[in-house]
């Protein structure tokens, strides 16, 4: 059972983001605050959308996504930022149903691609994604500027 | 001189996208149509924004970007999809000015990160980005579902 998140789900989504970061060994990077997430999902300029997987009445997984854009295709794409299913509910098909739901949304919204990034050590996830027809973009590396380096780059010379 | 693109720039932007694809040896992937780009940049649901670099009255470079979202930071990010300067105008600082302009926008819009993807064989670009403080995210690989695989994944089971 997949449904769109509402403002009432913000505390649950925040907990799932923290649980995902723990799994990815990246908890030290999480500074997310509930009020910011509320603003960014449901404010006047939404930056992302969330769908939730439920088992009975319990939220057991989530997918947070937004649209990117391909100039080569001349179409938007759907980018999955976070996919997470609580460890005790894995193997029940929630991850696959979340991905299928987003693929359906991508087709309905005329997106040319559905993409997400995976940590290279996460072999079970990689095998799972390949089994669904996803292809690794091995030729590309993402570069990032953040923190002080971003402030420096933003300064006029 | 950097300025925001207007609908009158659509033919120029389309030409620059094709020139970029040629440089990336990916021309076969380009199916962009001007009417789609117009809709996606200036329609009711914009998916991306474009800034242009000018020398005299001529457009010599462009950057096309949109916002992504980091749940760990609880902030939007700025994602640069395409950066291109016409070969005969390289070395004049246009690429750097375009990147600095976007970094400034990212800071003004309270973005936590400024990111883009680079083809691994593009050593001159990689060195240039590193010199500006950008860090390669070597631990991550992007997975993509497109075309028939996307249609299949979207189908209910």
């Amino acid at each position: 059972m997949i449904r769109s998140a509402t403002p009432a789900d913000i505390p649950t989504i925040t907990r799932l983001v923290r649980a995902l970061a723990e799994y990815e060994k990246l908890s030290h990077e999480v500074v997310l605050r509930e009020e910011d997430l509320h603003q960014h999902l449901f404010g006047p300029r939404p930056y992302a959308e969330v769908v939730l997987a439920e088992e009975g009445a319990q939220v057991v997984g989530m997918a947070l996504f937004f649209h990117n854009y391909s100039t080569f295709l001349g179409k938007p794409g759907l980018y999955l930022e976070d996919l997470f299913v609580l460890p005790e509910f894995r193997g029940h098909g929630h991850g696959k149903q979340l991905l299928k739901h987003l693929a359906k949304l991508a087709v309905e919204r005329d997106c040319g691609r559905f993409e997400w990034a995976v940590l290279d050590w996460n072999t079970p996830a990689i095998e799972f994604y390949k089994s669904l027809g996803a292809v690794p973009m091995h030729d590309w590396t993402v570069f990032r500027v953040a923190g002080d380096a971003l402030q420096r780059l933003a300064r006029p010379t």
Side-chain angles (χ1 to χ4, degrees), chain A:
Chain A
M1 171 57 199
I2 311 288
R3 66 167 175 88
S4 294
T6 72
D9 297 309
I10 292 284
T12 304
I13 297 168
T14 306
R15 275 199 303 276
L16 290 169
V17 168
R18 289 183 194 285
L20 168 61
E22 200 167 315
Y23 177 72
E24 288 182 332
K25 307 177 177 73
L26 295 172
S27 291
H28 55 285
E29 290 189 13
V30 178
V31 293
L32 175 67
R33 299 183 313 164
E34 288 191 11
E35 55 268 40
D36 293 335
L37 189 63
H38 186 281
Q39 181 72 6
H40 295 144
L41 294 181
F42 301 107
R45 200 305 189 191
Y47 285 103
E49 299 172 62
V50 173
V51 291
L52 300 172
E54 288 183 327
E55 198 169 311
Q58 194 186 343
V59 173
V60 300
M62 65 164 271
L64 183 141
F65 63 101
F66 46 78
H67 287 288
N68 57 12
Y69 189 72
S70 162
T71 45
F72 288 7
L73 299 180
K75 287 190 182 207
L78 196 150
Y79 189 90
L80 171 62
E81 175 70 15
D82 283 347
L83 176 71
F84 189 67
V85 175
L86 289 171
E88 57 272 37
F89 293 92
R90 292 196 191 151
H92 301 197
H94 295 298
K96 186 169 178 181
Q97 286 312 311
L98 285 163
L99 286 168
K100 287 183 76 69
H101 183 86
L102 295 190
K104 189 165 150 275
L105 271 185
V107 169
E108 285 169 4
R109 297 181 185 184
D110 194 27
C111 293
R113 299 165 177 166
F114 173 22
E115 297 170 308
W116 58 91
V118 188
L119 277 161
D120 291 334
W121 55 255
N122 196 352
T123 315
I126 290 168
E127 293 309 314
F128 173 53
Y129 297 147
K130 285 184 178 170
S131 77
L132 299 177
V135 175
M137 307 301 291
H138 281 313
D139 298 348
W140 296 86
T141 299
V142 169
F143 276 69
R144 177 182 292 174
V145 188
D148 289 346
L150 179 58
Q151 296 290 338
R152 263 196 308 279
L153 187 58
R155 237 173 269 151
T157 39

